[in-house]
Amino acid sequence: MSNNNNRALVPEAKQGLNNFKNEVAGAMGVPFTDYNGNLTSKQCGSVGGEMVKRMVQQYEQGLK
């Protein structure tokens, strides 16, 4: 029995997150496509890290 918890809690947010990922990747010069197997872990990780950084900044601005 698999314990896979990798599912979207809000399925409607998937397209928005994909758009955000592509926006961040484009700003960083990382060539994201439908297939990203040719990218390094560092490239993919840097995009994910920048996404989190921007989301945290946006959240913190909302608290002020």
Side-chain angles (χ1 to χ4, degrees), residues 1-59:
M1 180 179 238
S2 176
N3 241 357
N4 186 358
N5 292 324
N6 191 16
R7 64 183 185 276
L9 293 176
V10 183
E12 299 82 12
K14 186 172 185 171
Q15 186 59 46
L17 283 171
N18 280 335
N19 292 343
F20 183 48
K21 175 181 67 178
N22 290 326
E23 175 187 324
V24 170
M28 297 179 71
V30 178
F32 264 37
T33 61
D34 289 338
Y35 172 75
N36 296 311
N38 56 335
L39 299 176
T40 65
S41 296
K42 183 177 181 177
Q43 288 173 307
C44 291
S46 65
V47 171
E50 183 65 22
M51 288 175 66
V52 171
K53 179 181 171 184
R54 290 184 186 191
M55 286 187 274
V56 168
Q57 285 174 340
Q58 187 174 18
Y59 176 77

